[in-house]
Amino acid sequence: MTVPARPEDVDEICGSLPETELGTSWGDRPTWKVPRGDKGKAFVLHRAPHRSAIDPDTGEMYDDLLVVVTPTEAEKHALVEDPSTPFFTIDHFSGYNAVLVQLSRLGEISREELVEVITDAWAAKAPKRLVREHLGG
């Protein structure tokens, strides 16, 4: 049985990955990070409403966006171009390996799919040693 992803799954999944911490970035935005030097490297960020991300149906700024890092541009495009997923991008993220998704639309994918996308985001920012220890070769 496929279990739909839920907004609360994001923190559960991120917190279950090795050596992650929930901090803030861009002032006060909740951000999941992995340690890298003096600062953590963000892999999932709760994005503040901004005029660069407007809902085309309502004309309002999105107020429930999650930014999820992707390992490569190809993986970003694969998620965005797959009509079965709620992932998208905006001009502001052109040239940056990350996708956006509304928390309110997470149920359009399975929890298993969300685990895979977030784990890939974590692996893109975590130290290679840590990724090998957690995921193998």
Side-chain angles (χ1 to χ4, degrees):
M1 178 177 171
T2 302
V3 176
R6 307 164 303 150
E8 53 269 26
D9 291 334
V10 173
D11 287 342
E12 290 173 14
I13 295 165
C14 290
S16 73
L17 292 164
E19 297 185 28
T20 60
E21 63 183 24
L22 179 59
T24 57
S25 61
W26 298 102
D28 64 348
R29 303 314 305 162
T31 305
W32 281 96
K33 303 175 183 182
V34 291
R36 295 293 291 249
D38 291 343
K39 295 183 177 183
K41 293 287 184 178
F43 65 99
V44 172
L45 160 77
H46 292 264
R47 190 172 195 262
H50 190 271
R51 67 180 179 274
S52 64
I54 304 290
D55 185 327
D57 294 332
T58 67
E60 300 292 322
M61 291 183 285
Y62 289 110
D63 63 358
D64 67 340
L65 284 184
L66 197 65
V67 179
V68 182
V69 168
T70 58
T72 66
E73 188 172 348
E75 290 178 64
K76 171 184 179 172
H77 290 295
L79 286 171
V80 169
E81 293 167 5
D82 182 346
S84 71
T85 75
F87 297 103
F88 66 101
T89 191
I90 55 175
D91 289 343
H92 185 79
F93 284 90
S94 181
Y96 184 69
N97 293 338
V99 294
L100 300 167
V101 64
Q102 287 180 267
L103 290 171
S104 59
R105 292 188 60 197
L106 284 178
E108 295 176 28
I109 60 172
S110 70
R111 188 178 196 287
E112 185 177 306
E113 289 170 303
L114 184 61
V115 167
E116 183 179 334
V117 170
I118 289 176
T119 301
D120 287 349
W122 169 83
K125 296 296 183 175
K128 294 192 184 327
R129 164 203 54 82
L130 190 59
V131 174
R132 278 192 310 272
E133 288 172 4
H134 183 65
L135 300 178

